[in-house]
Amino acid sequence: MASFYLEPEDSYYLASLSSNPIAQKLEIAKIGVHPELREWTFVIKGKPQGDQGLWQELAQAVKSAAPEVLSVRFDWTMEDSDSDVTYLEQAIKQVQSQVENGSMVSEPNVSTPRRNGNGRKRGLLVNTIGGQAVPIKDLQEEERNVVICGEVVSFDSRLTRTGKTLIIFDLYDGTDTLSCKAFLDEPQDLGFKQGEWLKVRGNLQFQSFDNQLSLMVQALTGAEAPPTLVDEAPVKRVELHLHTKMSGLDGTIDVEDVVKLAASLGHEALAITDHGVIQAFPDAHRAGKKHNVKIIFGVEGYLVENDLHI
């Protein structure tokens, strides 16, 4: 029997140790520690599942990650994990009843948030979040324990009438954008701002008042942004066929942005060839001067025979 129990920093730590679908859903309730035997006991929410091979794999992975541990055991709470609904989950289920009132919003009537063993409120910030991030574009229906990773493209916070804080931020991962929400009992500096990358875990739920899916956040941590685009070619290319947003239905990028990108890649010149128009030329000229990129002014034109009757 364990000498004492610890509250896990990441309840889904085991998910980071195995790609097995069952492991991805395992939620740790607490970790028992026996110092003399150098033994850890993971108490997992729910009922026993999976085969012996999975538990041997997880035990070996834990011992590899923590060499001081000689023995790893697993136990279960024998409770239905679906009944273990967090404060945040209850909040999002009732968020459709919120009433906008300027910068204030009415707060759902929910129970007190869960606390850990020493009575402290469990915060959103954690050191690590296990599990592989799912592309946002693949999220199409309600789901529990979803992990996503992306750039913060917007952030807002509102004070509720009872003194709690509702935070709302959007994450973009290169495939799509998802709105994330959480309620905080007390003001808290989460340590991130727009433009930074986060890894977030929560429950994906449909909100009828805006007809879209949102992620009710259970935990979040900082993440590294993907590497920036680099052109390692010894001789840089010159793009001679490029459409800006001035090419209707065939271009979306602003000319300033594309010239800036070319400069960051070390390209010395760039051609602008919109469809039958030259409206991008003035902005292209200014951007070229600003970023020291030579602009080649062009156009993708249309030729017809003079004698052709249309």
Side-chain angles (χ1 to χ4, degrees):
M1 184 175 180
S3 298
F4 58 90
Y5 288 90
L6 300 175
E7 181 84 6
E9 286 189 353
D10 180 7
S11 299
Y12 293 88
Y13 168 70
L14 295 176
S16 66
L17 303 179
S18 173
S19 59
N20 188 296
I22 294 178
Q24 297 297 309
K25 300 296 184 181
L26 297 177
E27 183 177 2
I28 304 170
K30 56 185 177 180
I31 303 175
V33 179
H34 197 305
E36 293 182 0
L37 298 180
R38 296 168 65 182
E39 179 181 80
W40 285 2
T41 300
F42 289 87
V43 181
I44 301 170
K45 293 184 179 181
K47 300 178 181 179
Q49 54 184 316
D51 56 24
Q52 189 64 25
L54 170 62
W55 303 112
Q56 291 176 350
E57 175 191 352
L58 290 174
Q60 185 59 46
V62 171
K63 288 188 285 186
S64 297
E68 68 275 13
V69 179
L70 296 181
S71 176
V72 177
R73 299 176 63 250
F74 299 96
D75 200 358
W76 288 265
T77 62
M78 303 303 292
E79 298 175 354
D80 185 357
S81 59
D82 288 339
S83 65
D84 186 21
V85 182
T86 66
Y87 165 72
L88 296 178
E89 290 174 285
Q90 296 177 52
I92 193 60
K93 287 180 179 179
Q94 300 185 40
V95 74
Q96 60 186 7
S97 65
Q98 293 177 357
V99 179
E100 297 288 341
N101 182 19
S103 62
M104 306 286 286
V105 296
S106 64
E107 182 186 354
N109 182 21
V110 295
S111 59
T112 304
R114 291 185 298 172
R115 300 169 182 262
N116 59 23
N118 57 18
R120 292 182 300 177
K121 297 175 183 176
R122 186 169 63 181
L124 293 178
L125 290 173
V126 296
N127 291 332
T128 60
I129 293 179
Q132 186 71 25
V134 179
I136 294 177
K137 68 178 180 63
D138 293 341
L139 301 175
Q140 302 296 329
E141 58 186 19
E142 292 186 327
E143 187 176 351
R144 291 171 58 87
N145 303 327
V146 174
V147 176
I148 62 173
C149 185
E151 178 186 359
V152 180
V153 295
S154 67
F155 177 83
D156 189 20
S157 64
R158 306 173 188 175
L159 185 65
T160 66
R161 290 179 175 176
T162 57
K164 292 184 173 62
T165 301
L166 169 65
I167 63 168
I168 305 173
F169 57 93
D170 293 338
L171 287 187
Y172 173 70
D173 68 348
T175 68
D176 206 342
T177 302
L178 182 65
S179 178
C180 304
K181 302 179 181 181
F183 285 94
L184 302 177
D185 288 284
E186 299 174 355
Q188 180 182 2
D189 182 9
L190 296 176
F192 69 85
K193 57 185 178 181
Q194 188 171 332
E196 296 184 350
W197 280 69
L198 296 178
K199 190 174 185 180
V200 179
R201 186 185 68 244
N203 293 333
L204 193 65
Q205 296 191 354
F206 181 79
Q207 300 180 42
S208 59
F209 72 93
D210 58 5
N211 293 321
Q212 68 176 7
L213 289 169
S214 291
L215 189 73
M216 206 60 194
V217 179
Q218 294 176 323
L220 60 84
T221 187
E224 292 186 4
T228 56
L229 188 63
V230 176
D231 186 349
E232 298 180 347
V235 179
K236 308 302 182 185
R237 70 193 300 271
V238 174
E239 179 59 61
L240 297 178
H241 184 186
L242 187 143
H243 301 312
T244 73
K245 64 182 182 181
M246 296 301 178
S247 292
L249 302 180
D250 200 26
T252 59
I253 193 168
D254 185 86
V255 66
E256 164 76 21
D257 293 336
V258 75
V259 174
K260 181 179 179 180
L261 174 61
S264 70
L265 296 174
H267 296 184
E268 298 180 354
L270 175 70
I272 304 296
T273 57
D274 282 315
H275 278 292
V277 297
I278 59 173
Q279 280 91 335
F281 283 7
D283 288 340
H285 174 74
R286 285 189 289 268
K289 292 289 187 181
K290 178 180 178 180
H291 298 288
N292 196 29
V293 174
K294 179 181 179 180
I295 303 299
I296 303 172
F297 298 98
V299 66
E300 184 171 335
Y302 307 94
L303 301 178
V304 297
E305 297 182 18
N306 290 335
D307 297 332
L308 181 64
H309 297 285
I310 300 178

